Amino acid sequence: MEEKPKEPKTPMTSFASISEDLILNILKRLPALSFASAACVSKSWNQICNQILYKPKFASAFSLNPDQKVALEEVVNKVLSEPIRPHFAIANVIGSGVDLSERLNFLATKLGFQTPIIVSCTSGIMGRDAVTDEHREVMLEEYWVDGESNPCSGIILTVGFLPGLKVDAIPLFQPRKGFRAAMVDNFVMDIKDYSTSISGCASPVGIIMFGDEDADQKPVMEKLDHAMSSDTIIIGDERAQFLYSNGVESRNDYESSEYFSAAVALVFARDRDKRCGTGEIQFHAALSSGVSAVGPRYKAVSVKKIVSGTGHTTWLTARREGEQEIQNGQRILDDINNELVNQVGRPDLYIGVTEQRHCFIGLEKSRVMTFLVFHGVMGGDQEYLFVDGAGIRTGDYFQFYHSDPSAALSSCSNVSKNFRNLNLDWSSRNCLQARGVCDNVCNKELVGGFVFSCCGRGESFFERCNVDSSPFLDNFPEFPMAGIFCRGEIGRGFSVFNADEGQEERTSHCCLHVYSAVYLLVSYTPAHPEH
């Protein structure tokens, strides 16, 4: 049989002829979805993609496009414009008539149905515009254009990639009927069990929480504060409308007509099975307080809890600390208002109640903890002082607090100063490492951060813009941050020292704040070269 002549070899023109460095340079410029597809092409490409995404990354953007669907597409396109593997996502929206389920489904389609996602309605957002890259703080209010109202709407989306941590969205269920107490012990145990299964430690690195607007988060935070290590940082929005997705069908099926989610926790646990050579992620939290104490301390004498369709109210009488005379609500308020006579405007009033309570989970032995709990002052008459919420007992001591722009501005400046010191410390470490002066010093860098600020703050409170964002903008302007204005700020585990805290705040546990801004920094330390 006659042998066919061999065809001449053609020069290689495929990707096989391209150097690894050039492939890396191409892949790192791809948007996230194309990058994910490229990682599946071959083992070598997957390894190159892992070289590109070897350290944590945040991506965040907001849009005020009046077309809500276009706004959603703008922020998704922006956060996915570079390589990232979503480990979690948080979307916060402002505006009326918002369909959270539509946004949740769209995000799950784009980011993956196994990605833990939380979508919430909020009172305002802060971050960088997806189109202009301009940083803004925007509150939920109506802007007037040519004499007509123009409703404000918008969305901010944050996606995080955190190698070395695992993330899950864990809900707190509450019965809709009958005995409506939330299943707090189950919730706390679910968080501890998840953290233990991932890290071998019952306390996670951090938690970002969103509470339902009709649920009481006070007992939830007291038990979490009791159960978690002091190193566990918890931040979030106390009262919101939210939906979540975590890809765990058993949990999602549990939510039915009999139960609703009273809260959801995005839990960050250290992965004991992380890839060799992965560095360490650390959370840092700080608090900017916006209230000042006024008047003497009081001791509650008689306490009545009133339950209505709008929630719980407490009626109480009290006596000044060290005195025997019982004072009614009007008398107490007159004394406090006399001390506030020089205050500009009409500040919001609160009482900060010092509570000593027995805390326990399940059948474990209880321990006594001291909490500082804020209640909004609703008014008073010739008999009682009226405050919102419940849980105050006869014999509890309390102090009045008022919203104070000057104190908030000073506090925000202190947070910025502490961030500056952190930044200088990290920069000096990196400089020593680069010079080879100290082999035991590892580089440290910021990944990104979050702000949860009271909706009473903002430009109208400070009479200047971007105050709550300023600690980030002044010290870490090039790093992504996302913030919201909420109706109750959750904050626990402040590792960045707050010099403006009073004695009461330092000696008591306080997890639910008023007129505050809670800050979270996420930093990364690469693994030592020898590891």
Side-chain angles (χ1 to χ4, degrees), residues 196-251:
T196 301
S197 69
I198 300 300
S199 67
C201 175
S203 294
V205 175
I207 297 172
I208 299 179
M209 266 187 65
F210 290 84
D212 183 81
E213 59 185 350
D214 296 323
D216 183 8
Q217 301 304 320
K218 176 176 172 286
V220 183
M221 291 310 304
E222 287 180 356
K223 293 213 171 193
L224 278 174
D225 194 25
H226 158 74
M228 296 296 142
S229 159
S230 60
D231 295 330
T232 298
I233 289 172
I234 307 176
I235 66 167
D237 185 350
E238 181 184 355
R239 290 186 287 270
Q241 297 177 15
F242 66 84
L243 289 177
Y244 72 94
S245 172
N246 57 13
V248 181
E249 293 299 330
S250 59
R251 286 202 194 127

Side-chain angles (χ1 to χ4, degrees), residues 316-370:
L316 56 90
T317 61
R319 59 168 62 100
R320 286 190 177 207
E321 186 176 25
E323 298 182 3
Q324 294 301 313
E325 181 185 4
I326 299 176
Q327 298 186 0
N328 61 42
Q330 191 60 57
R331 168 85 178 277
I332 294 172
L333 287 179
D334 287 344
D335 291 344
I336 297 300
N337 287 328
N338 287 336
E339 299 210 26
L340 293 173
V341 68
N342 294 323
Q343 286 291 320
V344 177
R346 188 175 179 85
D348 291 336
L349 276 181
Y350 298 87
I351 61 170
V353 184
T354 303
E355 303 179 353
Q356 286 192 331
R357 301 291 185 262
H358 288 270
C359 294
F360 59 93
I361 304 294
L363 301 177
E364 71 178 21
K365 185 178 179 181
S366 67
R367 67 181 174 117
V368 177
M369 298 182 67
T370 302

Side-chain angles (χ1 to χ4, degrees), residues 22 48 119-120 133 203 224 254 308 403 416 429-430 529:
L22 184 55
I48 294 173
V119 182
S120 79
D133 203 38
S203 294
L224 278 174
Y254 194 64
S308 66
S403 55
S416 186
R429 286 167 175 260
N430 297 347

